[in-house]
Amino acid sequence: MRALTIHSFTNQPVRLLRVLRYAARMGFKVEQRTQEWFDLAIERNLQETIAPEDAGEELRALAREERPAVVLKEWEEHDLLEAVNPVLAKKHPAYDAINRLMKVREDLFTAGFRPRLATPMLLAILGKLKDRELSNVLSKAGLRSSEAEAVLRYEEEAVDAQKELAGRKMKAPVDAFHFLEKCRLIRSPI
């Protein structure tokens, strides 16, 4: 990954988060000069000037990534999780939940589904937060109230879907397949 100018991080400090997300996504390393600029920006505490809405957009983008745990570990390693949200930095992401969800994503792909799991991934990332903290993080992240409500209701809806799948109506595998095909839970509102 390579930044074009020394001002890349000073003009838009959110790029501190973004460069690590892109590098992790593509398996690239940060170019040496860009790394020097990155380190200089961190030394000058530019991460403290990242707007909450920009950090929230990066958090939503992270929830859509294929390997969010890698990105989160990079953010933690560079002390950038605090810029995303101080409570998340203190309590740390729920890596176990993230890894379980990654396994579910693989299983769904294997079964022929193309799930959009941004909402459950966001919940997995924020899994160690209490309800009130979760609501606060979602609000500060710039989610519209309808998006935040969808995220907060997701777990309850997942339990209802689980009961439906375990019920008498799902006698044949094809019934479960059709139910999952139409299930709103594998389509993400964020």
Side-chain angles (χ1 to χ4, degrees), residues 37-75:
W37 295 339
F38 179 92
D39 293 340
L40 182 62
I42 294 292
E43 185 180 310
R44 292 182 177 169
N45 292 320
L46 291 180
Q47 68 273 21
E48 294 174 7
T49 65
I50 296 174
E53 298 80 25
D54 291 340
E57 188 57 43
E58 282 300 306
L59 185 61
R60 285 194 297 236
L62 172 68
R64 293 186 294 269
E65 290 287 338
E66 283 188 38
R67 301 175 354 174
V70 175
V71 177
L72 284 164
K73 287 178 182 176
E74 283 292 318
W75 286 358

Short mmCIF file of all heavy atoms in Angstrom, two decimals, residues 37-75:
data_model
loop_
_atom_site.label_atom_id
_atom_site.label_comp_id
_atom_site.label_asym_id
_atom_site.label_seq_id
_atom_site.Cartn_x
_atom_site.Cartn_y
_atom_site.Cartn_z
N TRP A 37 5.33 7.92 7.06
CA TRP A 37 4.30 8.95 7.18
C TRP A 37 3.23 8.52 8.17
O TRP A 37 2.73 9.32 8.96
CB TRP A 37 3.68 9.27 5.84
CG TRP A 37 4.62 9.90 4.84
CD1 TRP A 37 5.79 10.56 5.09
CD2 TRP A 37 4.45 9.92 3.43
NE1 TRP A 37 6.36 10.98 3.92
CE2 TRP A 37 5.55 10.60 2.87
CE3 TRP A 37 3.49 9.42 2.57
CZ2 TRP A 37 5.71 10.81 1.52
CZ3 TRP A 37 3.64 9.62 1.21
CH2 TRP A 37 4.74 10.31 0.69
N PHE A 38 2.86 7.24 8.10
CA PHE A 38 1.88 6.67 9.02
C PHE A 38 2.39 6.81 10.46
O PHE A 38 1.67 7.28 11.34
CB PHE A 38 1.65 5.19 8.66
CG PHE A 38 0.68 4.48 9.54
CD1 PHE A 38 -0.66 4.43 9.22
CD2 PHE A 38 1.10 3.84 10.70
CE1 PHE A 38 -1.57 3.76 10.03
CE2 PHE A 38 0.20 3.18 11.52
CZ PHE A 38 -1.14 3.14 11.19
N ASP A 39 3.63 6.40 10.70
CA ASP A 39 4.22 6.47 12.04
C ASP A 39 4.29 7.92 12.54
O ASP A 39 4.04 8.19 13.72
CB ASP A 39 5.61 5.84 12.06
CG ASP A 39 5.57 4.33 11.82
OD1 ASP A 39 4.49 3.72 12.02
OD2 ASP A 39 6.61 3.77 11.41
N LEU A 40 4.61 8.83 11.64
CA LEU A 40 4.66 10.25 12.00
C LEU A 40 3.27 10.76 12.39
O LEU A 40 3.13 11.49 13.38
CB LEU A 40 5.23 11.07 10.83
CG LEU A 40 5.39 12.57 11.08
CD1 LEU A 40 6.38 12.84 12.22
CD2 LEU A 40 5.86 13.25 9.81
N ALA A 41 2.27 10.34 11.65
CA ALA A 41 0.89 10.74 11.97
C ALA A 41 0.47 10.20 13.34
O ALA A 41 -0.16 10.91 14.13
CB ALA A 41 -0.06 10.26 10.88
N ILE A 42 0.84 8.96 13.64
CA ILE A 42 0.53 8.36 14.94
C ILE A 42 1.29 9.11 16.04
O ILE A 42 0.73 9.41 17.09
CB ILE A 42 0.88 6.85 14.94
CG1 ILE A 42 0.00 6.07 13.97
CG2 ILE A 42 0.80 6.28 16.35
CD1 ILE A 42 -1.45 5.99 14.36
N GLU A 43 2.56 9.42 15.78
CA GLU A 43 3.37 10.15 16.75
C GLU A 43 2.76 11.51 17.08
O GLU A 43 2.80 11.98 18.21
CB GLU A 43 4.78 10.34 16.18
CG GLU A 43 5.77 10.98 17.11
CD GLU A 43 7.13 11.12 16.45
OE1 GLU A 43 7.62 10.11 15.90
OE2 GLU A 43 7.68 12.24 16.49
N ARG A 44 2.14 12.12 16.08
CA ARG A 44 1.49 13.43 16.27
C ARG A 44 0.04 13.30 16.75
O ARG A 44 -0.69 14.28 16.81
CB ARG A 44 1.53 14.22 14.96
CG ARG A 44 2.94 14.63 14.58
CD ARG A 44 2.95 15.44 13.33
NE ARG A 44 4.30 15.88 13.03
CZ ARG A 44 4.65 16.43 11.89
NH1 ARG A 44 3.75 16.63 10.94
NH2 ARG A 44 5.88 16.80 11.69
N ASN A 45 -0.38 12.07 17.05
CA ASN A 45 -1.72 11.78 17.59
C ASN A 45 -2.85 12.20 16.65
O ASN A 45 -3.93 12.61 17.10
CB ASN A 45 -1.92 12.43 18.96
CG ASN A 45 -1.04 11.79 20.00
OD1 ASN A 45 -0.86 10.58 20.01
ND2 ASN A 45 -0.46 12.60 20.86
N LEU A 46 -2.63 12.08 15.36
CA LEU A 46 -3.69 12.44 14.40
C LEU A 46 -4.89 11.50 14.50
O LEU A 46 -5.99 11.87 14.11
CB LEU A 46 -3.14 12.46 12.98
CG LEU A 46 -2.17 13.59 12.66
CD1 LEU A 46 -1.69 13.50 11.22
CD2 LEU A 46 -2.81 14.94 12.92
N GLN A 47 -4.69 10.31 15.04
CA GLN A 47 -5.82 9.38 15.21
C GLN A 47 -6.86 9.96 16.15
O GLN A 47 -8.04 9.61 16.07
CB GLN A 47 -5.34 8.00 15.68
CG GLN A 47 -4.80 7.96 17.09
CD GLN A 47 -3.32 8.27 17.20
OE1 GLN A 47 -2.74 8.89 16.32
NE2 GLN A 47 -2.71 7.84 18.30
N GLU A 48 -6.46 10.87 17.01
CA GLU A 48 -7.42 11.50 17.93
C GLU A 48 -8.32 12.51 17.23
O GLU A 48 -9.31 12.95 17.80
CB GLU A 48 -6.66 12.18 19.07
CG GLU A 48 -5.94 11.19 19.96
CD GLU A 48 -5.07 11.85 21.02
OE1 GLU A 48 -5.12 13.09 21.15
OE2 GLU A 48 -4.35 11.11 21.71
N THR A 49 -7.98 12.86 15.99
CA THR A 49 -8.79 13.83 15.24
C THR A 49 -9.74 13.16 14.24
O THR A 49 -10.41 13.86 13.48
CB THR A 49 -7.89 14.84 14.48
OG1 THR A 49 -7.14 14.14 13.49
CG2 THR A 49 -6.96 15.56 15.44
N ILE A 50 -9.78 11.84 14.25
CA ILE A 50 -10.69 11.13 13.35
C ILE A 50 -12.12 11.40 13.80
O ILE A 50 -12.47 11.18 14.97
CB ILE A 50 -10.40 9.62 13.33
CG1 ILE A 50 -9.00 9.35 12.77
CG2 ILE A 50 -11.46 8.88 12.51
CD1 ILE A 50 -8.56 7.90 12.85
N ALA A 51 -12.94 11.88 12.90
CA ALA A 51 -14.35 12.17 13.21
C ALA A 51 -15.07 10.87 13.55
O ALA A 51 -14.84 9.84 12.91
CB ALA A 51 -15.02 12.85 12.03
N PRO A 52 -15.95 10.90 14.56
CA PRO A 52 -16.69 9.68 14.93
C PRO A 52 -17.46 9.07 13.76
O PRO A 52 -17.54 7.85 13.64
CB PRO A 52 -17.65 10.16 16.02
CG PRO A 52 -17.02 11.39 16.57
CD PRO A 52 -16.28 12.02 15.43
N GLU A 53 -18.01 9.92 12.88
CA GLU A 53 -18.75 9.41 11.72
C GLU A 53 -17.82 8.66 10.77
O GLU A 53 -18.19 7.63 10.21
CB GLU A 53 -19.45 10.54 10.97
CG GLU A 53 -20.49 11.28 11.79
CD GLU A 53 -19.87 12.32 12.72
OE1 GLU A 53 -18.76 12.82 12.46
OE2 GLU A 53 -20.51 12.61 13.74
N ASP A 54 -16.61 9.19 10.58
CA ASP A 54 -15.63 8.52 9.71
C ASP A 54 -15.20 7.19 10.32
O ASP A 54 -15.09 6.18 9.62
CB ASP A 54 -14.40 9.41 9.49
CG ASP A 54 -14.70 10.63 8.64
OD1 ASP A 54 -15.72 10.62 7.92
OD2 ASP A 54 -13.91 11.59 8.70
N ALA A 55 -14.95 7.18 11.62
CA ALA A 55 -14.59 5.94 12.31
C ALA A 55 -15.74 4.94 12.23
O ALA A 55 -15.52 3.74 12.03
CB ALA A 55 -14.22 6.23 13.76
N GLY A 56 -16.97 5.44 12.35
CA GLY A 56 -18.14 4.57 12.24
C GLY A 56 -18.27 3.96 10.86
O GLY A 56 -18.63 2.79 10.70
N GLU A 57 -17.98 4.76 9.84
CA GLU A 57 -18.02 4.24 8.46
C GLU A 57 -16.97 3.15 8.28
O GLU A 57 -17.22 2.14 7.61
CB GLU A 57 -17.81 5.38 7.46
CG GLU A 57 -18.04 4.98 6.03
CD GLU A 57 -19.43 4.40 5.77
OE1 GLU A 57 -20.42 4.95 6.28
OE2 GLU A 57 -19.51 3.38 5.05
N GLU A 58 -15.81 3.34 8.86
CA GLU A 58 -14.76 2.31 8.79
C GLU A 58 -15.20 1.05 9.54
O GLU A 58 -14.92 -0.06 9.10
CB GLU A 58 -13.44 2.83 9.35
CG GLU A 58 -12.69 3.72 8.39
CD GLU A 58 -12.34 3.04 7.08
OE1 GLU A 58 -11.71 1.97 7.09
OE2 GLU A 58 -12.72 3.59 6.03
N LEU A 59 -15.89 1.22 10.66
CA LEU A 59 -16.39 0.07 11.42
C LEU A 59 -17.42 -0.70 10.60
O LEU A 59 -17.39 -1.93 10.56
CB LEU A 59 -16.99 0.55 12.75
CG LEU A 59 -17.45 -0.53 13.73
CD1 LEU A 59 -16.28 -1.40 14.15
CD2 LEU A 59 -18.09 0.12 14.95
N ARG A 60 -18.31 0.02 9.92
CA ARG A 60 -19.30 -0.65 9.06
C ARG A 60 -18.61 -1.36 7.89
O ARG A 60 -18.99 -2.47 7.53
CB ARG A 60 -20.33 0.35 8.54
CG ARG A 60 -21.33 0.74 9.59
CD ARG A 60 -22.51 1.46 8.98
NE ARG A 60 -22.11 2.69 8.35
CZ ARG A 60 -22.60 3.88 8.64
NH1 ARG A 60 -23.53 3.99 9.53
NH2 ARG A 60 -22.18 4.95 8.03
N ALA A 61 -17.61 -0.70 7.31
CA ALA A 61 -16.86 -1.32 6.21
C ALA A 61 -16.13 -2.56 6.71
O ALA A 61 -16.06 -3.58 6.01
CB ALA A 61 -15.88 -0.32 5.59
N LEU A 62 -15.61 -2.49 7.92
CA LEU A 62 -14.92 -3.63 8.52
C LEU A 62 -15.87 -4.82 8.66
O LEU A 62 -15.48 -5.96 8.42
CB LEU A 62 -14.36 -3.24 9.88
CG LEU A 62 -13.77 -4.36 10.72
CD1 LEU A 62 -12.50 -4.89 10.08
CD2 LEU A 62 -13.50 -3.89 12.12
N ALA A 63 -17.11 -4.56 9.03
CA ALA A 63 -18.09 -5.64 9.21
C ALA A 63 -18.38 -6.35 7.89
O ALA A 63 -18.82 -7.50 7.90
CB ALA A 63 -19.38 -5.09 9.80
N ARG A 64 -18.12 -5.70 6.76
CA ARG A 64 -18.34 -6.32 5.45
C ARG A 64 -17.09 -7.00 4.90
O ARG A 64 -17.16 -7.62 3.84
CB ARG A 64 -18.84 -5.26 4.47
CG ARG A 64 -20.23 -4.74 4.80
CD ARG A 64 -20.78 -3.80 3.74
NE ARG A 64 -20.04 -2.56 3.62
CZ ARG A 64 -20.31 -1.43 4.28
NH1 ARG A 64 -21.33 -1.40 5.11
NH2 ARG A 64 -19.60 -0.35 4.10
N GLU A 65 -15.97 -6.88 5.58
CA GLU A 65 -14.71 -7.47 5.13
C GLU A 65 -14.74 -9.00 5.27
O GLU A 65 -15.44 -9.53 6.13
CB GLU A 65 -13.52 -6.92 5.93
CG GLU A 65 -13.19 -5.49 5.65
CD GLU A 65 -12.52 -5.27 4.30
OE1 GLU A 65 -11.94 -6.21 3.74
OE2 GLU A 65 -12.60 -4.13 3.80
N GLU A 66 -13.92 -9.65 4.47
CA GLU A 66 -13.82 -11.11 4.56
C GLU A 66 -13.02 -11.56 5.77
O GLU A 66 -13.23 -12.64 6.30
CB GLU A 66 -13.20 -11.69 3.29
CG GLU A 66 -14.16 -11.74 2.13
CD GLU A 66 -13.58 -12.48 0.95
OE1 GLU A 66 -12.88 -13.49 1.16
OE2 GLU A 66 -13.83 -12.05 -0.17
N ARG A 67 -12.05 -10.74 6.19
CA ARG A 67 -11.18 -11.10 7.31
C ARG A 67 -11.12 -9.96 8.33
O ARG A 67 -10.08 -9.34 8.52
CB ARG A 67 -9.78 -11.42 6.79
CG ARG A 67 -9.77 -12.54 5.79
CD ARG A 67 -8.44 -12.79 5.16
NE ARG A 67 -7.41 -11.83 5.50
CZ ARG A 67 -6.16 -11.94 5.15
NH1 ARG A 67 -5.77 -12.95 4.44
NH2 ARG A 67 -5.27 -11.03 5.49
N PRO A 68 -12.22 -9.71 9.02
CA PRO A 68 -12.24 -8.58 9.95
C PRO A 68 -11.31 -8.74 11.15
O PRO A 68 -10.79 -7.76 11.66
CB PRO A 68 -13.70 -8.49 10.38
CG PRO A 68 -14.25 -9.84 10.13
CD PRO A 68 -13.51 -10.39 8.96
N ALA A 69 -11.07 -9.97 11.58
CA ALA A 69 -10.20 -10.18 12.75
C ALA A 69 -8.78 -9.71 12.46
O ALA A 69 -8.13 -9.12 13.33
CB ALA A 69 -10.20 -11.65 13.15
N VAL A 70 -8.31 -9.91 11.24
CA VAL A 70 -6.97 -9.47 10.86
C VAL A 70 -6.87 -7.95 10.93
O VAL A 70 -5.90 -7.40 11.45
CB VAL A 70 -6.61 -9.98 9.44
CG1 VAL A 70 -5.27 -9.43 8.98
CG2 VAL A 70 -6.61 -11.50 9.40
N VAL A 71 -7.90 -7.28 10.43
CA VAL A 71 -7.92 -5.82 10.45
C VAL A 71 -7.98 -5.31 11.89
O VAL A 71 -7.23 -4.39 12.26
CB VAL A 71 -9.12 -5.27 9.64
CG1 VAL A 71 -9.18 -3.76 9.72
CG2 VAL A 71 -9.06 -5.74 8.20
N LEU A 72 -8.84 -5.91 12.70
CA LEU A 72 -8.96 -5.48 14.10
C LEU A 72 -7.64 -5.64 14.85
O LEU A 72 -7.25 -4.77 15.64
CB LEU A 72 -10.06 -6.28 14.80
CG LEU A 72 -11.48 -5.86 14.47
CD1 LEU A 72 -12.47 -6.92 14.89
CD2 LEU A 72 -11.80 -4.53 15.09
N LYS A 73 -6.95 -6.73 14.59
CA LYS A 73 -5.66 -6.94 15.26
C LYS A 73 -4.64 -5.90 14.81
O LYS A 73 -3.84 -5.43 15.62
CB LYS A 73 -5.16 -8.36 15.00
CG LYS A 73 -5.98 -9.37 15.79
CD LYS A 73 -5.55 -10.79 15.53
CE LYS A 73 -6.46 -11.73 16.33
NZ LYS A 73 -6.19 -13.12 16.09
N GLU A 74 -4.68 -5.51 13.54
CA GLU A 74 -3.80 -4.44 13.06
C GLU A 74 -4.15 -3.12 13.75
O GLU A 74 -3.26 -2.38 14.16
CB GLU A 74 -3.91 -4.28 11.54
CG GLU A 74 -3.17 -5.33 10.75
CD GLU A 74 -1.66 -5.23 10.90
OE1 GLU A 74 -1.12 -4.11 10.87
OE2 GLU A 74 -1.03 -6.28 11.04
N TRP A 75 -5.44 -2.83 13.84
CA TRP A 75 -5.87 -1.60 14.51
C TRP A 75 -5.42 -1.61 15.97
O TRP A 75 -4.95 -0.60 16.48
CB TRP A 75 -7.37 -1.43 14.42
CG TRP A 75 -7.89 -1.02 13.07
CD1 TRP A 75 -7.15 -0.75 11.95
CD2 TRP A 75 -9.24 -0.84 12.69
NE1 TRP A 75 -7.98 -0.42 10.91
CE2 TRP A 75 -9.27 -0.46 11.33
CE3 TRP A 75 -10.45 -0.98 13.36
CZ2 TRP A 75 -10.45 -0.20 10.64
CZ3 TRP A 75 -11.62 -0.72 12.68
CH2 TRP A 75 -11.62 -0.34 11.32
#
